[in-house]
Amino acid sequence: MTKITHFNPEDKFHAFLKTCGDTEYTTGPLNGENIAIKDNISTKGIETTCGSRILTGYIPPYDAHVITLLKKAGAAIVGKTNMDEFGMGTTTENSAFGPTLNPSNPDHVPGGSSGGSAAAVAAGIVPFALGSDTGGSIRCPASFCGITGLKPSYGRVSRYGLIAYANSLEQIGPMAKDVKSVSRLMEIITEYDPRDPTMINKPYHCRCDGELNGISVGVPEEFFGKGVDPSVASVVWNAIKWFEGEGAEIITCRMPSVEYALAAYYVTCTCEASSNLARFDGVRYGPGASLKLSWHDSFSERRTEGFGTEVKRRIMLGTFALSSGYYGKYYAKAQIARENVKNDCMRIFKDVDLIIGPTMPVVAFKLGEISDPLQMYLTDILTVPANLAGLPAISIPCGKVDGLPVGLQIIGKPFEDERVVETAYCYEQGG
Amino acid sequence: MIDENDVRHIAELADVTVTSGELKKFTSQFNTILEYFDTLDCVEGVTNERTDRCNNFREDEVTHSLPQEELLANASEKEEGFFKAPKVM
Amino acid sequence: MSRGGKLVNMIIGLEVHCQLDTKSKLFCGCSTDYRDDGPNTHSCPICSGLPGSLPSINKKAVEYAIRVAKSLKCEICEESEFSRKNYFYPDLPKGFQITQYDHPLALKGILTIDDDEGLEKIVRITRIHLEEDPGRLVHKGGVDRPKYTLVDYNRSGIPLIEIVTEPDLRSPQEARRYLQKLRATLEYLSVFDSEKEGSLRVDANISIEGSERVEVKNITSYKGVEKALTFEYTRQKNALRRGQKIIRETRHFVEGRGVTTSSRSKEMEQDYRYFPEPDLLPLRVKEWSEKISLPELPDARRERFIEQYSCSPIHAKTLTGDLKVAEFYEKVAKINPVLCATWVADTLLGELYYRNMSVQAVPHERFIELIAILDAGKITEKSAVEVLRNLLDQIKDSGICESPNECIVRLNLGKTGGDAITKAVGEVISEQKTAIKDLKNGKKGAMNFLVGQVMKKIRGRGDPQEINLLLEQALSPGDE
């Protein structure tokens, strides 16, 4: 049986690209709760733009797997949230439709790329949101906005319907004010989908009963290295001390591959993106191609007008890295580096259950504060290892610096998403 | 080091047009970024095993296609059930 | 082949793309049975490249490809993977084609064919890989002056197998024989239907020894291969004779005109930027090969036909060169298999070809009946051919035909009895005095003339040898 909820919020932080007004929902465990969806997740009948002009007007004829599951669970899909164009950014300033503001302080960015989802939750407009995380795009805005966001293990949630930016790295994940809500969403969105060949069938069950059970925690020195704001580091250390006080064993360790993890990440994601974004030719969807021009001229015109600067930059970087003569130097090397990151993590996990550190090396920047691309890329240094290694990782609030939230990152072994969530829950309850 | 000609070539390969202002900016940015990518030069190892997982198949079963009008619904130009694209040389 | 008296070697390698005859497409569940339906009626988010869709591999397509690889004695690779071949063209809805690149499914095989002297020749197979078919384009305003392009994704995502040879072929005729043998093999394996329009496409690399190689694309038929290569060989030979250099290029075969044309535009820079398809897991399917049992293949069937039906080697080869013909022959080889082989291989196939008909259209029982009547000596060979033609015309017109007996009665083609022939012989001897004189003077052609005159009287329904014999007896000196 269907009911209708009305959704027309005041959106003073520009969290939404579209709100749905009257929304139908059915009975189910989420019974009419509102959920906001990042605009790179396909929603049947609702415009889905990825924050890009090139997809303006695109109305998917199908639902992403996670949307089907949420609808079945009785959620009301109330709106699509703002994001860095195609997920390419750390601030949500790269949206073609203007930036989202941080509800903690509107002069600051909400983080990105799932900045709209984070702001919608942080501002209390919706209790739940879905984001996607390719190199930190759930955890960064969760950290900057002071909410909880989980990047599930690679393969834990179906990507079917997620408009690809970098397929081998990204996952859809839940964002909410508290850990229990994140866990509730995980129970729903992890249902198996044979249409995603990289997914494994492992239903999610987490009790969230607040028991730490004598865990051991690894703290990589590199997570407190160069570029990490000392006041952020000190807030995070306080959180780590709490775990110690609760009987957890804290082991400092080394993760030398962090040195090149970021380069491996940016090579991989730009290569994949350069190929993923080749389909936006204006023939099947999006603003139409000009039939007056020849195919190549029209395609080139479409892309030049449709893509923002950061997207162009990444497409060009990826195109270059894959081009004849450079594949070995960039893509192939990045895959070896990636293997090394994974091996580094697995070596650490022989001695510990979880890896803990800051989510972001800094608190939210001011709008427009960083204009140099590399300087911006470098702020992803602590989130990309979990993507490269396919590990589950959560960001939960652990304090503030200058009135801006700081996120604590907890990274788990592959497919041990439950343990990550359980531990975050313990901290949330007691920390 | 790459120069503006290289960037122009990359833009052509990527089928995007860059303005002369962008060209200057991209050239210097790409040089900084590519220099950073050189940290990968020190990475050692030869294996490139993507995953230990393999062989995920579907059975050869026919499922529903989209109705023609739904498939074409987002296209700005169509003709008698076809999508319309610019001429190819 | 010669140039100025010296031998000139032609070097040919082929890349053959065949559609695999699965029910659904390679990466989605859309039906492959699209040929009778309107454009874009067999497409979904996956094969039309909608954002967010993901491919998943059709197991049957992999099985079929392994079947082909095994039959061509290839090594199945321990691990293979799909890659993206990136280029922008409106028939590629994703802006890349999912294919296999540096880790193909199988390597190093062979196919045995006849060379131009009729000797056995081994053609080496370099590799076999799987890939998806692009969509279909219709150029409005013609290829020369296009206005716009229509795009249909029904074909997009149909599984293709690409079979690449080493440059082992030496003439257009060899290339055609290779293709015919390959087609027969694929059909015996039940993985390919050559009668489906566009189910086979060939790219050919051809060079004259010592010169650059040229790639000819867009060949879509068996006959086209021989035509395209013959044209290209002549073009290259003439250019060399004029002292020009052959440039390395890609040319397009224009089937209608039988020529190849230079496709200059895209050629200057093709950088496909291959990398592994991140959405698909690698294949480790080597051991599947052991579990697959191959059916009887053309060579084995040919040997069996010689053995079991006493077919001549040449008939056996013709009959087994096409699965449907071989199956037809085995169904009809009931009464006199040797006679039957002759009739299928030498007569029926030609008549079918002339009418552009498939052997599948011919009802077995009608053909068996005709051979039985012929074998019993009730009609002459000439009449049998006439009956066959009549029956085939009827099938072509209406899909059905009368029985051979009905046809013989209707056309009055039954063999004329002995009395009528004897009577006719007597009449001819009394009428044709001059010819008989000629015959006695040793003029050989005279006898043929006399036989012809008798035949005329009995309207062709007699056996020429029998008439010959009767004439000889009637004119022998003892009777004078």
Side-chain angles (χ1 to χ4, degrees):
Chain A
M1 126 163 198
T2 48
K3 294 182 197 160
I4 288 179
T5 183
H6 188 71
F7 185 74
N8 190 17
E10 190 195 354
D11 183 18
K12 45 182 185 182
F13 306 109
H14 190 227
F16 286 89
L17 291 176
K18 184 177 180 66
T19 51
C20 298
D22 291 334
T23 306
E24 280 189 5
Y25 64 94
T26 57
T27 44
L30 286 178
N31 203 13
E33 298 227 52
N34 291 347
I35 184 161
I37 307 294
K38 189 177 182 181
D39 205 34
N40 60 353
I41 298 171
S42 303
T43 41
K44 185 173 180 173
I46 306 171
E47 187 181 2
T48 300
T49 66
C50 292
S52 180
R53 264 194 301 277
I54 210 158
L55 273 173
T56 310
Y58 169 58
I59 296 173
Y62 75 103
D63 271 329
H65 185 64
V66 290
I67 299 299
T68 308
L69 296 175
L70 286 171
K71 283 182 175 172
K72 202 173 75 181
I77 312 291
V78 293
K80 304 299 292 285
T81 57
N82 199 10
M83 57 184 285
D84 286 300
E85 187 175 1
F86 287 103
M88 300 179 184
T90 311
T91 63
T92 314
E93 292 168 297
N94 292 337
S95 166
F97 308 109
T100 296
L101 312 178
N102 190 326
S104 301
N105 181 341
D107 293 335
H108 290 254
V109 300
S113 64
S114 313
S117 286
V121 170
I125 304 172
V126 287
F128 302 100
L130 285 188
S132 70
D133 189 314
T134 310
S137 285
I138 287 174
R139 289 160 290 157
C140 161
S143 170
F144 280 8
C145 290
I147 64 158
T148 301
L150 172 72
K151 181 203 88 75
S153 299
Y154 187 76
R156 197 73 195 264
V157 178
S158 169
R159 289 183 292 115
Y160 196 87
L162 170 68
I163 300 180
Y165 154 30
N167 325 48
S168 72
L169 296 159
E170 63 205 8
Q171 281 285 288
I172 293 171
M175 304 174 83
K177 271 244 163 91
D178 57 78
V179 178
K180 250 197 170 132
S181 300
V182 161
S183 191
R184 269 178 85 193
L185 281 185
M186 277 299 278
E187 305 230 348
I188 292 158
I189 63 173
T190 45
E191 192 178 314
Y192 183 62
D193 178 12
R195 292 173 302 176
D196 177 356
T198 60
M199 190 184 182
I200 65 145
N201 189 357
K202 187 171 190 276
Y204 171 95
H205 294 296
C206 185
R207 293 199 310 275
C208 285
D209 60 5
E211 302 265 333
L212 273 180
N213 295 329
I215 52 161
S216 59
V217 171
V219 181
E221 281 173 26
E222 290 79 1
F223 276 39
F224 294 90
K226 202 176 67 178
V228 179
D229 180 337
S231 35
V232 167
S234 116
V235 169
V236 171
W237 268 115
N238 284 340
I240 295 170
K241 295 246 168 60
W242 178 84
F243 281 98
E244 199 167 24
E246 291 296 302
E249 189 187 359
I250 308 296
I251 299 170
T252 50
C253 54
R254 294 290 321 273
M255 203 166 144
S257 59
V258 165
E259 187 197 336
Y260 47 72
L262 193 81
Y265 168 78
Y266 271 95
V267 168
T268 305
C269 73
T270 53
C271 286
E272 291 184 15
S274 72
S275 169
N276 287 328
L277 270 53
R279 72 184 64 194
F280 303 108
D281 54 24
V283 173
R284 279 144 291 131
Y285 40 80
S290 167
L291 294 181
K292 290 203 183 75
L293 300 172
S294 73
W295 166 255
H296 273 274
D297 292 342
S298 144
F299 186 70
S300 180
E301 184 189 80
R302 258 322 32 260
R303 287 157 70 83
T304 305
E305 286 174 4
F307 290 141
T309 307
E310 182 59 26
V311 173
K312 274 190 230 169
R313 193 153 39 224
R314 293 199 195 186
I315 288 176
M316 287 172 69
L317 278 170
T319 301
F320 175 66
L322 286 174
S323 67
S324 176
Y326 292 99
Y327 180 88
K329 178 174 165 62
Y330 296 115
Y331 186 85
K333 272 278 177 185
Q335 302 322 301
I336 297 167
R338 192 171 173 174
E339 224 23 63
N340 293 352
V341 172
K342 203 184 281 176
N343 294 338
D344 247 6
C345 294
M346 296 319 284
R347 180 183 48 73
I348 295 170
F349 279 133
K350 277 189 188 144
D351 302 321
V352 304
D353 301 307
L354 298 158
I355 294 171
I356 292 192
T359 304
M360 296 298 289
V362 290
V363 290
F365 337 109
K366 282 208 161 118
L367 284 154
E369 185 179 331
I370 301 182
S371 59
D372 176 61
L374 181 60
Q375 203 191 337
M376 187 70 91
Y377 298 172
L378 287 168
T379 61
D380 297 338
I381 186 93
L382 304 179
T383 46
V384 297
N387 300 85
L388 289 167
L391 306 173
I394 200 167
S395 178
I396 46 168
C398 67
K400 288 192 171 178
V401 168
D402 300 334
L404 291 164
V406 174
L408 173 72
Q409 182 175 212
I410 306 173
I411 304 172
K413 295 177 187 173
F415 300 107
E416 291 194 358
D417 305 60
E418 288 89 340
R419 196 202 284 262
V420 168
V421 170
E422 187 76 60
T423 307
Y425 179 72
C426 291
Y427 176 76
E428 183 188 68
Q429 297 304 302
Chain B
M1 281 293 277
I2 57 169
D3 58 25
E4 288 186 15
N5 280 330
D6 297 321
V7 175
R8 202 176 286 118
H9 170 77
I10 299 165
E12 258 169 47
L13 204 54
D15 258 270
V16 291
T17 317
V18 287
T19 62
S20 57
E22 279 177 320
L23 194 66
K24 245 197 185 74
K25 216 166 66 183
F26 280 177
T27 306
S28 97
Q29 288 170 348
F30 285 0
N31 275 310
T32 322
I33 294 166
L34 292 174
E35 196 185 325
Y36 183 76
F37 284 178
D38 285 345
T39 52
L40 288 171
D41 288 350
C42 69
V43 172
E44 283 178 14
V46 277
T47 48
N48 179 15
E49 273 195 21
R50 273 205 294 149
T51 167
D52 30 348
R53 299 178 56 214
C54 64
N55 292 359
N56 196 338
F57 299 108
R58 43 171 271 273
E59 296 302 321
D60 184 23
E61 284 157 7
V62 173
T63 55
H64 287 295
S65 298
L66 280 178
Q68 190 195 55
E69 60 277 14
E70 275 187 44
L71 193 75
L72 291 162
N74 277 290
S76 55
E77 299 270 2
K78 47 206 150 187
E79 183 173 305
E80 289 168 352
F82 289 93
F83 292 95
K84 239 165 131 177
K87 65 191 173 201
V88 281
M89 286 278 286
Chain C
M1 303 273 172
S2 70
R3 175 178 57 169
K6 273 189 280 174
L7 282 177
V8 179
N9 273 333
M10 199 188 322
I11 299 166
I12 300 167
L14 296 181
E15 293 169 16
V16 183
H17 303 80
C18 301
Q19 290 188 340
L20 293 176
D21 208 14
T22 52
K23 289 197 210 66
S24 65
K25 292 185 179 180
L26 182 53
F27 297 123
C28 65
C30 287
S31 163
T32 56
D33 187 14
Y34 61 85
R35 285 176 172 79
D36 295 333
D37 297 318
N40 296 306
T41 52
H42 292 253
S43 189
C44 71
I46 298 169
C47 61
S48 68
L50 287 192
S53 62
L54 297 173
S56 66
I57 308 167
N58 183 340
K59 191 176 183 185
K60 197 69 155 198
V62 178
E63 272 174 28
Y64 280 6
I66 292 178
R67 229 187 265 181
V68 175
K70 190 173 180 179
S71 75
L72 299 178
K73 302 183 176 65
C74 290
E75 283 171 28
I76 312 291
C77 298
E78 204 69 59
E79 176 164 319
S80 55
E81 69 182 7
F82 285 98
S83 289
R84 290 185 181 181
K85 180 181 185 178
N86 295 288
Y87 64 98
F88 309 116
Y89 211 64
D91 61 1
L92 275 190
K94 300 187 292 295
F96 56 84
Q97 181 193 31
I98 305 179
T99 177
Q100 295 191 288
Y101 180 52
D102 47 1
H103 295 98
L105 187 76
L107 295 165
K108 288 187 199 149
I110 55 164
L111 185 67
T112 310
I113 61 162
D114 286 350
D115 69 10
D116 289 341
E117 270 77 51
L119 301 171
E120 207 168 75
K121 167 175 186 147
I122 287 173
V123 180
R124 291 169 298 159
I125 310 290
T126 315
R127 58 182 273 154
I128 294 184
H129 74 245
L130 272 166
E131 63 185 26
E132 56 178 341
D133 211 344
R136 182 175 69 98
L137 302 181
V138 181
H139 305 283
K140 283 305 217 186
V143 184
D144 296 332
R145 308 195 88 204
K147 281 183 13 216
Y148 54 88
T149 312
L150 296 178
V151 193
D152 170 17
Y153 294 113
N154 284 349
R155 198 182 70 181
S156 170
I158 299 285
L160 290 181
I161 190 172
E162 180 171 334
I163 302 164
V164 183
T165 74
E166 293 288 311
D168 285 351
L169 298 160
R170 290 292 172 272
S171 74
Q173 294 71 32
E174 258 185 36
R176 185 190 32 123
R177 279 196 297 275
Y178 165 81
L179 264 194
Q180 281 167 338
K181 183 69 175 284
L182 183 65
R183 174 187 61 175
T185 305
L186 295 181
E187 291 200 323
Y188 273 60
L189 296 169
S190 317
V191 302
F192 173 66
D193 184 351
S194 67
E195 284 181 14
K196 285 186 179 161
E197 184 229 325
S199 58
L200 172 127
R201 268 153 281 155
V202 182
D203 298 339
N205 284 300
I206 167 170
S207 62
I208 285 173
E209 199 166 24
S211 290
E212 280 289 354
R213 126 191 112 118
V214 169
E215 187 178 17
V216 183
K217 284 185 175 286
N218 197 36
I219 309 172
T220 56
S221 72
Y222 305 90
K223 280 174 252 168
V225 169
E226 194 174 344
K227 257 205 224 160
L229 289 172
T230 306
F231 175 86
E232 191 51 28
Y233 173 68
T234 312
R235 185 189 71 83
Q236 291 186 20
K237 203 176 55 174
N238 289 343
L240 289 173
R241 189 181 291 143
R242 284 195 298 268
Q244 293 163 342
K245 268 202 152 169
I246 305 297
I247 51 161
R248 192 175 179 137
E249 62 171 343
T250 300
R251 299 178 69 85
H252 271 254
F253 179 54
V254 186
E255 184 109 45
R257 290 193 285 145
V259 300
T260 68
T261 57
S262 183
S263 42
R264 60 243 158 248
S265 59
K266 265 176 39 175
E267 197 37 38
M268 49 177 228
E269 185 120 35
Q270 277 297 30
D271 189 342
Y272 291 123
R273 292 165 281 133
Y274 288 97
F275 73 102
E277 167 56 76
D279 287 327
L280 296 172
L281 303 182
L283 303 175
R284 296 193 190 111
V285 292
K286 194 180 164 105
E287 73 278 12
W288 290 14
S289 172
E290 290 147 30
K291 287 179 222 142
I292 290 171
S293 57
L294 294 178
E296 184 184 45
L297 293 172
D299 289 347
R301 198 165 211 171
R302 188 188 67 213
E303 293 309 312
R304 181 165 65 77
F305 275 20
I306 295 170
E307 185 85 358
Q308 184 179 342
Y309 301 111
S310 308
C311 292
S312 73
I314 198 123
H315 282 156
K317 182 169 279 185
T318 308
L319 294 173
T320 55
D322 180 320
L323 176 67
K324 282 158 196 140
V325 173
E327 280 172 348
F328 178 83
Y329 172 71
E330 294 217 70
K331 289 263 166 53
V332 299
K334 303 283 183 207
I335 291 154
N336 181 343
V338 176
L339 179 69
C340 208
T342 311
W343 268 74
V344 174
D346 295 346
T347 310
L348 177 64
L349 291 182
E351 296 294 337
L352 288 170
Y353 182 80
Y354 172 72
R355 287 170 180 76
N356 196 17
M357 283 170 73
S358 161
V359 73
Q360 285 169 301
V362 182
H364 303 143
E365 62 286 3
R366 298 289 190 240
F367 193 80
I368 293 169
E369 209 180 316
L370 177 63
I371 298 295
I373 294 166
L374 181 69
D375 187 52
K378 291 182 192 155
I379 52 171
T380 63
E381 282 201 21
K382 188 164 173 273
S383 300
V385 172
E386 202 169 333
V387 171
L388 182 65
R389 285 176 179 164
N390 259 279
L391 300 186
L392 290 179
D393 286 340
Q394 290 169 23
I395 295 166
K396 178 133 183 139
D397 286 346
S398 62
I400 49 165
C401 66
E402 61 191 339
S403 77
N405 257 326
E406 286 166 340
C407 184
I408 288 163
V409 171
R410 185 169 55 79
L411 300 175
N412 198 11
L413 289 171
K415 215 187 238 178
T416 307
D419 289 353
I421 299 177
T422 315
K423 185 168 161 260
V425 167
E427 284 170 17
V428 167
I429 288 173
S430 57
E431 287 163 18
Q432 304 291 344
K433 299 287 182 206
T434 332
I436 289 164
K437 200 177 268 168
D438 287 350
L439 185 72
K440 286 186 176 156
N441 290 336
K443 236 186 170 178
K444 281 277 184 302
M447 187 51 132
N448 287 345
F449 173 78
L450 290 171
V451 171
Q453 290 303 307
V454 175
M455 273 292 203
K456 211 167 161 185
K457 283 190 186 289
I458 57 169
R459 295 189 8 258
R461 290 169 298 152
D463 181 353
Q465 276 178 339
E466 194 186 338
I467 295 166
N468 207 312
L469 199 70
L470 285 170
L471 277 168
E472 274 175 12
Q473 281 170 1
L475 297 169
S476 66
D479 286 349
E480 250 181 70

